[in-house]
Amino acid sequence: MAKTRPGKKDVDSYTIRGTNKVVRAGDCVLMRPSDVGKPQYVARIEKIETDSKSNAKVRVRWYYRPEESIGGRRQFHGSKELFLSDHYDVQSANTIEGKCVVHSFKNYTKLENVGAEDYYCRFEYKAATGAFTPDRVAVYCKCEMPYNPDDLMVQCEECKDWFHPACVNISNEVAKKLEHYICSECSADEDVKKPQNSVSASLADDVKVDPKRRKK
């Protein structure tokens, strides 16, 4: 365990200035950016300490946004996606502006509603090298891209794969109204067995829409 420096003492909590919100080690927080106009930084508090003058500082582990990473933002990165980095820092607690929640990817996709303070993380990120853990994730659709929870997807009832409507020639407007979907490959293989209330991608009358996509 790291030793507290002389004149410093560890504390269990800190009340965000101007609010009644209390943060503790393990909480995720929004921190004031260095440049006006930039989004707030997101960090996980590792430790809180005060000095003899009651000035509070926090040791944090930074989350990076995709655009802050070496590879930059890619198509499958969601608007609320963050990477848990190996970049640690010590900041004045006065730079904390609010609390937030960084969900696991699985839990985020189960949210009934996504609030302004909800984020998710599915990768850890090494700031010096740009390496990710895990370095591979499942891909979907004909475009073979990882799942972006911001994007509407439809599921084939036969093969259970997920597809972007545009990749199977369906508009989002049509997809939102549909209930059943069989992709073109499964439709070709199972044409004789196909129930009357299911259709192929070329017809696109019915489609199963990802029930997870509800967002404020």
Side-chain angles (χ1 to χ4, degrees), residues 107-125:
N107 289 343
Y108 180 86
T109 59
K110 292 180 178 179
L111 292 177
E112 289 294 323
N113 295 289
V114 177
E117 296 177 351
D118 289 311
Y119 296 87
Y120 70 89
C121 176
R122 56 179 157 180
F123 297 106
E124 291 194 14
Y125 175 71

Side-chain angles (χ1 to χ4, degrees), residues 27-203:
D27 287 344
C28 294
V29 294
L30 300 167
M31 305 190 76
R32 185 167 60 248
S34 55
D35 297 329
V36 176
K38 286 190 174 183
Q40 293 167 306
Y41 298 134
V42 182
R44 189 175 73 189
I45 295 177
E46 302 292 310
K47 181 180 178 181
I48 308 171
E49 64 180 28
T50 60
D51 60 19
S52 58
K53 297 181 180 179
S54 297
N55 296 315
K57 290 186 177 294
V58 288
R59 175 173 168 79
V60 299
R61 185 176 181 182
W62 294 112
Y63 284 96
Y64 279 37
R65 289 183 168 83
E67 56 269 24
E68 297 167 339
S69 68
I70 292 176
R73 179 172 288 279
R74 299 182 62 184
Q75 180 182 346
F76 63 87
H77 291 143
S79 60
K80 307 303 290 289
E81 183 158 10
L82 302 171
F83 310 144
L84 181 61
S85 79
D86 59 352
H87 179 187
Y88 292 83
D89 205 353
V90 175
Q91 296 284 314
S92 168
N94 289 335
T95 61
I96 299 175
E97 296 186 327
K99 297 179 69 173
C100 63
V101 180
V102 181
H103 302 270
S104 69
F105 184 68
K106 182 178 180 180
N107 289 343
Y108 180 86
T109 59
K110 292 180 178 179
L111 292 177
E112 289 294 323
N113 295 289
V114 177
E117 296 177 351
D118 289 311
Y119 296 87
Y120 70 89
C121 176
R122 56 179 157 180
F123 297 106
E124 291 194 14
Y125 175 71
K126 291 189 178 298
T129 64
F132 289 93
T133 303
D135 59 358
R136 294 179 183 273
V137 292
V139 296
Y140 302 91
C141 191
K142 293 181 177 181
C143 62
E144 296 188 342
M145 295 293 288
Y147 178 46
N148 181 343
D150 294 342
D151 292 341
L152 177 69
M153 297 190 80
V154 296
Q155 186 181 35
C156 173
E157 294 192 353
E158 294 292 331
C159 66
K160 306 302 181 184
D161 199 1
W162 291 89
F163 299 88
H164 301 106
C167 293
V168 291
N169 300 315
I170 304 173
S171 70
N172 282 359
E173 291 72 20
V174 170
K176 290 175 183 178
K177 299 176 182 179
L178 305 176
E179 298 176 356
H180 306 284
Y181 173 68
I182 296 179
C183 71
S184 57
E185 290 188 10
C186 290
S187 178
D189 293 340
E190 303 291 336
D191 188 59
V192 176
K193 303 177 183 178
K194 185 172 58 179
Q196 293 183 354
N197 64 345
S198 296
V199 296
S200 68
S202 59
L203 299 179

